[in-house]
Short mmCIF file of all heavy atoms in Angstrom, two decimals:
data_model
loop_
_atom_site.label_atom_id
_atom_site.label_comp_id
_atom_site.label_asym_id
_atom_site.label_seq_id
_atom_site.Cartn_x
_atom_site.Cartn_y
_atom_site.Cartn_z
N VAL A 128 -18.41 -8.55 -9.70
CA VAL A 128 -17.87 -8.73 -11.05
C VAL A 128 -17.20 -10.10 -11.19
O VAL A 128 -17.21 -10.69 -12.28
CB VAL A 128 -16.89 -7.60 -11.44
CG1 VAL A 128 -17.63 -6.27 -11.50
CG2 VAL A 128 -15.71 -7.50 -10.48
N ALA A 129 -16.66 -10.62 -10.09
CA ALA A 129 -16.06 -11.95 -10.15
C ALA A 129 -17.13 -13.00 -10.41
O ALA A 129 -16.95 -13.91 -11.22
CB ALA A 129 -15.32 -12.27 -8.85
N ALA A 130 -18.28 -12.85 -9.74
CA ALA A 130 -19.39 -13.78 -9.95
C ALA A 130 -19.83 -13.71 -11.41
O ALA A 130 -20.04 -14.73 -12.06
CB ALA A 130 -20.55 -13.45 -9.02
N ARG A 131 -19.91 -12.53 -11.91
CA ARG A 131 -20.40 -12.33 -13.28
C ARG A 131 -19.46 -12.95 -14.31
O ARG A 131 -19.90 -13.46 -15.34
CB ARG A 131 -20.57 -10.84 -13.54
CG ARG A 131 -20.99 -10.52 -14.95
CD ARG A 131 -21.35 -9.05 -15.08
NE ARG A 131 -21.68 -8.74 -16.44
CZ ARG A 131 -20.99 -7.90 -17.20
NH1 ARG A 131 -19.93 -7.28 -16.70
NH2 ARG A 131 -21.35 -7.68 -18.44
N LEU A 132 -18.14 -12.88 -14.04
CA LEU A 132 -17.19 -13.43 -15.01
C LEU A 132 -16.71 -14.83 -14.63
O LEU A 132 -15.82 -15.38 -15.27
CB LEU A 132 -15.99 -12.49 -15.17
CG LEU A 132 -16.30 -11.10 -15.75
CD1 LEU A 132 -15.03 -10.29 -15.90
CD2 LEU A 132 -17.02 -11.20 -17.09
N GLY A 133 -17.29 -15.40 -13.57
CA GLY A 133 -16.90 -16.75 -13.17
C GLY A 133 -15.47 -16.84 -12.66
O GLY A 133 -14.78 -17.82 -12.90
N MET A 134 -15.02 -15.80 -11.96
CA MET A 134 -13.66 -15.81 -11.42
C MET A 134 -13.69 -16.11 -9.93
O MET A 134 -14.64 -15.77 -9.23
CB MET A 134 -13.00 -14.44 -11.61
CG MET A 134 -12.71 -14.10 -13.06
SD MET A 134 -12.15 -12.38 -13.16
CE MET A 134 -11.60 -12.33 -14.87
N GLN A 135 -12.60 -16.73 -9.46
CA GLN A 135 -12.45 -16.95 -8.03
C GLN A 135 -12.13 -15.60 -7.37
O GLN A 135 -11.39 -14.80 -7.94
CB GLN A 135 -11.29 -17.93 -7.84
CG GLN A 135 -11.22 -18.55 -6.47
CD GLN A 135 -9.87 -19.22 -6.25
OE1 GLN A 135 -9.17 -19.58 -7.19
NE2 GLN A 135 -9.50 -19.37 -4.99
N CYS A 136 -12.70 -15.36 -6.19
CA CYS A 136 -12.51 -14.05 -5.55
C CYS A 136 -12.23 -14.18 -4.06
O CYS A 136 -12.96 -14.86 -3.34
CB CYS A 136 -13.76 -13.20 -5.78
SG CYS A 136 -13.68 -11.57 -5.02
N VAL A 137 -11.16 -13.55 -3.61
CA VAL A 137 -10.83 -13.49 -2.18
C VAL A 137 -10.79 -12.03 -1.77
O VAL A 137 -10.13 -11.22 -2.43
CB VAL A 137 -9.46 -14.16 -1.89
CG1 VAL A 137 -9.08 -13.97 -0.43
CG2 VAL A 137 -9.49 -15.64 -2.26
N VAL A 138 -11.50 -11.70 -0.70
CA VAL A 138 -11.53 -10.31 -0.22
C VAL A 138 -10.91 -10.24 1.18
O VAL A 138 -11.30 -10.99 2.07
CB VAL A 138 -12.97 -9.76 -0.17
CG1 VAL A 138 -12.97 -8.32 0.35
CG2 VAL A 138 -13.62 -9.83 -1.54
N TYR A 139 -9.94 -9.35 1.35
CA TYR A 139 -9.32 -9.13 2.66
C TYR A 139 -10.01 -7.96 3.34
O TYR A 139 -10.21 -6.91 2.74
CB TYR A 139 -7.82 -8.87 2.51
CG TYR A 139 -7.11 -10.12 2.06
CD1 TYR A 139 -6.90 -10.37 0.71
CD2 TYR A 139 -6.71 -11.07 2.98
CE1 TYR A 139 -6.28 -11.55 0.29
CE2 TYR A 139 -6.09 -12.25 2.58
CZ TYR A 139 -5.89 -12.48 1.24
OH TYR A 139 -5.29 -13.64 0.83
N MET A 140 -10.34 -8.17 4.61
CA MET A 140 -11.08 -7.15 5.35
C MET A 140 -10.64 -7.17 6.81
O MET A 140 -10.49 -8.24 7.40
CB MET A 140 -12.58 -7.47 5.23
CG MET A 140 -13.51 -6.40 5.74
SD MET A 140 -15.19 -6.76 5.15
CE MET A 140 -16.05 -5.31 5.76
N GLY A 141 -10.39 -6.00 7.36
CA GLY A 141 -9.98 -5.91 8.76
C GLY A 141 -11.07 -6.43 9.68
O GLY A 141 -12.25 -6.29 9.40
N GLU A 142 -10.63 -7.02 10.78
CA GLU A 142 -11.58 -7.62 11.71
C GLU A 142 -12.56 -6.57 12.25
O GLU A 142 -13.76 -6.83 12.41
CB GLU A 142 -10.80 -8.23 12.88
CG GLU A 142 -11.57 -9.25 13.67
CD GLU A 142 -10.70 -9.86 14.76
OE1 GLU A 142 -9.84 -9.15 15.32
OE2 GLU A 142 -10.89 -11.06 15.04
N VAL A 143 -12.05 -5.37 12.51
CA VAL A 143 -12.90 -4.29 13.02
C VAL A 143 -14.00 -3.96 11.99
O VAL A 143 -15.17 -3.78 12.34
CB VAL A 143 -12.04 -3.03 13.31
CG1 VAL A 143 -12.93 -1.83 13.62
CG2 VAL A 143 -11.08 -3.30 14.46
N ASP A 144 -13.61 -3.90 10.73
CA ASP A 144 -14.57 -3.57 9.68
C ASP A 144 -15.57 -4.70 9.45
O ASP A 144 -16.73 -4.45 9.13
CB ASP A 144 -13.83 -3.25 8.38
CG ASP A 144 -13.00 -1.97 8.50
OD1 ASP A 144 -13.37 -1.13 9.34
OD2 ASP A 144 -12.01 -1.83 7.77
N ILE A 145 -15.10 -5.94 9.60
CA ILE A 145 -16.00 -7.08 9.44
C ILE A 145 -17.15 -6.95 10.42
O ILE A 145 -18.31 -7.22 10.10
CB ILE A 145 -15.23 -8.41 9.64
CG1 ILE A 145 -14.39 -8.68 8.40
CG2 ILE A 145 -16.20 -9.57 9.94
CD1 ILE A 145 -13.71 -10.02 8.36
N HIS A 146 -16.80 -6.47 11.62
CA HIS A 146 -17.83 -6.30 12.63
C HIS A 146 -18.78 -5.16 12.27
O HIS A 146 -20.00 -5.31 12.31
CB HIS A 146 -17.17 -6.05 14.00
CG HIS A 146 -18.15 -5.67 15.06
ND1 HIS A 146 -19.06 -6.56 15.57
CD2 HIS A 146 -18.39 -4.49 15.65
CE1 HIS A 146 -19.82 -5.94 16.46
NE2 HIS A 146 -19.43 -4.68 16.52
N ARG A 147 -18.22 -4.01 11.85
CA ARG A 147 -19.13 -2.87 11.64
C ARG A 147 -19.82 -2.89 10.28
O ARG A 147 -20.68 -2.06 10.01
CB ARG A 147 -18.43 -1.54 11.90
CG ARG A 147 -17.19 -1.25 11.12
CD ARG A 147 -16.64 0.14 11.52
NE ARG A 147 -15.26 0.29 11.06
CZ ARG A 147 -14.55 1.39 11.20
NH1 ARG A 147 -15.07 2.44 11.77
NH2 ARG A 147 -13.30 1.45 10.76
N GLN A 148 -19.41 -3.81 9.39
CA GLN A 148 -20.06 -3.87 8.08
C GLN A 148 -20.55 -5.29 7.82
O GLN A 148 -20.33 -5.86 6.74
CB GLN A 148 -19.08 -3.44 6.98
CG GLN A 148 -18.49 -2.05 7.19
CD GLN A 148 -19.49 -0.93 6.95
OE1 GLN A 148 -20.56 -1.13 6.38
NE2 GLN A 148 -19.18 0.28 7.39
N ALA A 149 -21.22 -5.86 8.81
CA ALA A 149 -21.61 -7.28 8.75
C ALA A 149 -22.47 -7.60 7.52
O ALA A 149 -22.35 -8.67 6.93
CB ALA A 149 -22.34 -7.66 10.03
N ILE A 150 -23.32 -6.67 7.14
CA ILE A 150 -24.22 -6.95 6.02
C ILE A 150 -23.43 -7.13 4.73
O ILE A 150 -23.68 -8.06 3.95
CB ILE A 150 -25.26 -5.82 5.87
CG1 ILE A 150 -26.21 -5.85 7.08
CG2 ILE A 150 -26.04 -5.95 4.57
CD1 ILE A 150 -27.20 -4.71 7.11
N ASN A 151 -22.45 -6.27 4.54
CA ASN A 151 -21.63 -6.41 3.33
C ASN A 151 -20.81 -7.70 3.33
O ASN A 151 -20.55 -8.27 2.27
CB ASN A 151 -20.73 -5.19 3.16
CG ASN A 151 -21.43 -4.08 2.39
OD1 ASN A 151 -22.45 -4.33 1.73
ND2 ASN A 151 -20.90 -2.87 2.47
N VAL A 152 -20.39 -8.14 4.50
CA VAL A 152 -19.64 -9.40 4.57
C VAL A 152 -20.51 -10.54 4.09
O VAL A 152 -20.10 -11.37 3.26
CB VAL A 152 -19.15 -9.67 6.02
CG1 VAL A 152 -18.51 -11.05 6.12
CG2 VAL A 152 -18.18 -8.59 6.46
N TYR A 153 -21.74 -10.54 4.53
CA TYR A 153 -22.65 -11.60 4.10
C TYR A 153 -22.97 -11.49 2.60
O TYR A 153 -23.03 -12.50 1.90
CB TYR A 153 -23.94 -11.58 4.94
CG TYR A 153 -24.83 -12.76 4.65
CD1 TYR A 153 -24.35 -14.07 4.77
CD2 TYR A 153 -26.15 -12.59 4.22
CE1 TYR A 153 -25.15 -15.16 4.49
CE2 TYR A 153 -26.96 -13.68 3.94
CZ TYR A 153 -26.46 -14.96 4.07
OH TYR A 153 -27.24 -16.03 3.78
N ARG A 154 -23.10 -10.26 2.12
CA ARG A 154 -23.33 -10.08 0.67
C ARG A 154 -22.19 -10.69 -0.14
O ARG A 154 -22.41 -11.38 -1.13
CB ARG A 154 -23.43 -8.60 0.33
CG ARG A 154 -24.76 -7.96 0.68
CD ARG A 154 -24.67 -6.45 0.53
NE ARG A 154 -24.87 -5.98 -0.85
CZ ARG A 154 -24.59 -4.74 -1.24
NH1 ARG A 154 -24.07 -3.87 -0.40
NH2 ARG A 154 -24.83 -4.37 -2.48
N MET A 155 -20.96 -10.43 0.31
CA MET A 155 -19.81 -10.97 -0.43
C MET A 155 -19.84 -12.50 -0.44
O MET A 155 -19.57 -13.13 -1.45
CB MET A 155 -18.49 -10.49 0.20
CG MET A 155 -18.23 -9.02 -0.05
SD MET A 155 -16.63 -8.52 0.63
CE MET A 155 -17.12 -7.74 2.14
N ARG A 156 -20.21 -13.07 0.70
CA ARG A 156 -20.25 -14.54 0.79
C ARG A 156 -21.35 -15.08 -0.11
O ARG A 156 -21.18 -16.10 -0.78
CB ARG A 156 -20.43 -14.98 2.24
CG ARG A 156 -19.17 -14.64 3.05
CD ARG A 156 -19.09 -15.31 4.41
NE ARG A 156 -17.73 -15.13 4.92
CZ ARG A 156 -17.41 -14.66 6.13
NH1 ARG A 156 -18.37 -14.35 7.01
NH2 ARG A 156 -16.16 -14.50 6.49
N LEU A 157 -22.48 -14.41 -0.13
CA LEU A 157 -23.57 -14.83 -1.03
C LEU A 157 -23.10 -14.84 -2.48
O LEU A 157 -23.50 -15.68 -3.28
CB LEU A 157 -24.78 -13.90 -0.89
CG LEU A 157 -25.61 -14.04 0.38
CD1 LEU A 157 -26.66 -12.94 0.44
CD2 LEU A 157 -26.28 -15.41 0.44
N LEU A 158 -22.24 -13.88 -2.80
CA LEU A 158 -21.75 -13.76 -4.18
C LEU A 158 -20.65 -14.78 -4.49
O LEU A 158 -20.13 -14.81 -5.61
CB LEU A 158 -21.22 -12.34 -4.41
CG LEU A 158 -22.31 -11.26 -4.50
CD1 LEU A 158 -21.73 -9.88 -4.23
CD2 LEU A 158 -23.00 -11.30 -5.86
N GLY A 159 -20.28 -15.57 -3.49
CA GLY A 159 -19.31 -16.64 -3.74
C GLY A 159 -17.88 -16.26 -3.41
O GLY A 159 -16.96 -17.02 -3.67
N ALA A 160 -17.68 -15.07 -2.84
CA ALA A 160 -16.32 -14.67 -2.49
C ALA A 160 -15.94 -15.23 -1.13
O ALA A 160 -16.80 -15.48 -0.29
CB ALA A 160 -16.21 -13.15 -2.46
N GLN A 161 -14.64 -15.42 -0.96
CA GLN A 161 -14.14 -15.81 0.34
C GLN A 161 -13.68 -14.53 1.04
O GLN A 161 -12.88 -13.77 0.49
CB GLN A 161 -12.98 -16.77 0.14
CG GLN A 161 -12.53 -17.45 1.39
CD GLN A 161 -11.22 -18.18 1.17
OE1 GLN A 161 -10.74 -18.36 0.04
NE2 GLN A 161 -10.61 -18.61 2.25
N VAL A 162 -14.21 -14.27 2.24
CA VAL A 162 -13.80 -13.08 2.98
C VAL A 162 -12.81 -13.50 4.05
O VAL A 162 -13.12 -14.34 4.90
CB VAL A 162 -15.01 -12.39 3.64
CG1 VAL A 162 -14.56 -11.13 4.39
CG2 VAL A 162 -16.06 -12.04 2.59
N ARG A 163 -11.60 -12.96 3.98
CA ARG A 163 -10.58 -13.33 4.96
C ARG A 163 -10.36 -12.19 5.94
O ARG A 163 -10.07 -11.06 5.55
CB ARG A 163 -9.25 -13.66 4.26
CG ARG A 163 -9.35 -14.94 3.45
CD ARG A 163 -7.99 -15.45 3.02
NE ARG A 163 -8.15 -16.54 2.06
CZ ARG A 163 -7.24 -16.92 1.19
NH1 ARG A 163 -6.08 -16.29 1.13
NH2 ARG A 163 -7.46 -17.92 0.36
N SER A 164 -10.48 -12.52 7.21
CA SER A 164 -10.37 -11.54 8.27
C SER A 164 -8.90 -11.20 8.53
O SER A 164 -8.06 -12.09 8.62
CB SER A 164 -11.01 -12.11 9.53
OG SER A 164 -10.70 -11.33 10.63
N VAL A 165 -8.60 -9.92 8.66
CA VAL A 165 -7.23 -9.47 8.90
C VAL A 165 -7.15 -8.89 10.31
O VAL A 165 -7.88 -7.96 10.64
CB VAL A 165 -6.81 -8.40 7.86
CG1 VAL A 165 -5.40 -7.91 8.14
CG2 VAL A 165 -6.92 -8.97 6.45
N THR A 166 -6.26 -9.47 11.14
CA THR A 166 -6.21 -9.06 12.54
C THR A 166 -4.96 -8.25 12.87
O THR A 166 -4.84 -7.74 13.98
CB THR A 166 -6.23 -10.30 13.47
OG1 THR A 166 -5.16 -11.17 13.06
CG2 THR A 166 -7.54 -11.04 13.36
N SER A 167 -4.04 -8.12 11.91
CA SER A 167 -2.79 -7.42 12.22
C SER A 167 -3.02 -5.91 12.30
O SER A 167 -4.00 -5.39 11.79
CB SER A 167 -1.74 -7.74 11.15
OG SER A 167 -2.22 -7.40 9.88
N GLY A 168 -2.09 -5.22 12.94
CA GLY A 168 -2.12 -3.76 13.03
C GLY A 168 -3.40 -3.26 13.65
O GLY A 168 -3.82 -3.69 14.71
N SER A 169 -4.07 -2.33 12.93
CA SER A 169 -5.30 -1.76 13.46
C SER A 169 -6.53 -2.53 12.99
O SER A 169 -7.65 -2.16 13.30
CB SER A 169 -5.41 -0.29 13.03
OG SER A 169 -5.31 -0.18 11.63
N ALA A 170 -6.30 -3.61 12.24
CA ALA A 170 -7.39 -4.47 11.75
C ALA A 170 -8.45 -3.67 10.98
O ALA A 170 -9.64 -3.91 11.10
CB ALA A 170 -8.03 -5.26 12.89
N THR A 171 -7.96 -2.69 10.20
CA THR A 171 -8.88 -1.94 9.32
C THR A 171 -8.31 -1.94 7.90
O THR A 171 -7.49 -2.78 7.55
CB THR A 171 -9.11 -0.50 9.82
OG1 THR A 171 -7.85 0.18 9.88
CG2 THR A 171 -9.77 -0.46 11.20
N LEU A 172 -8.75 -0.95 7.13
CA LEU A 172 -8.46 -0.94 5.69
C LEU A 172 -6.96 -1.04 5.36
O LEU A 172 -6.57 -1.77 4.45
CB LEU A 172 -9.07 0.33 5.09
CG LEU A 172 -8.91 0.54 3.59
CD1 LEU A 172 -9.40 -0.65 2.79
CD2 LEU A 172 -9.65 1.80 3.15
N LYS A 173 -6.11 -0.30 6.08
CA LYS A 173 -4.69 -0.32 5.71
C LYS A 173 -4.10 -1.72 5.88
O LYS A 173 -3.27 -2.15 5.10
CB LYS A 173 -3.90 0.72 6.51
CG LYS A 173 -3.43 0.27 7.88
CD LYS A 173 -2.51 1.30 8.53
CE LYS A 173 -2.21 0.94 9.99
NZ LYS A 173 -1.28 -0.18 10.15
N ASP A 174 -4.57 -2.42 6.90
CA ASP A 174 -4.05 -3.76 7.16
C ASP A 174 -4.60 -4.77 6.14
O ASP A 174 -3.90 -5.70 5.74
CB ASP A 174 -4.42 -4.16 8.59
CG ASP A 174 -4.02 -3.06 9.56
OD1 ASP A 174 -2.82 -2.92 9.82
OD2 ASP A 174 -4.91 -2.30 10.00
N ALA A 175 -5.83 -4.54 5.71
CA ALA A 175 -6.40 -5.37 4.64
C ALA A 175 -5.59 -5.19 3.36
O ALA A 175 -5.33 -6.15 2.63
CB ALA A 175 -7.87 -5.01 4.42
#
Side-chain angles (χ1 to χ4, degrees):
Chain A
V128 296
R131 176 171 177 244
L132 296 182
M134 292 172 170
Q135 195 194 337
C136 179
V137 174
V138 179
Y139 291 93
M140 190 166 184
E142 199 177 35
V143 171
D144 294 334
I145 285 187
H146 172 70
R147 57 180 164 177
Q148 304 288 346
I150 292 175
N151 272 344
V152 174
Y153 188 55
R154 283 169 83 193
M155 288 183 259
R156 292 193 168 129
L157 286 173
L158 288 159
Q161 191 191 349
V162 181
R163 292 193 189 157
S164 169
V165 178
T166 54
S167 57
S169 55
T171 59
L172 181 54
K173 85 173 171 74
D174 310 286

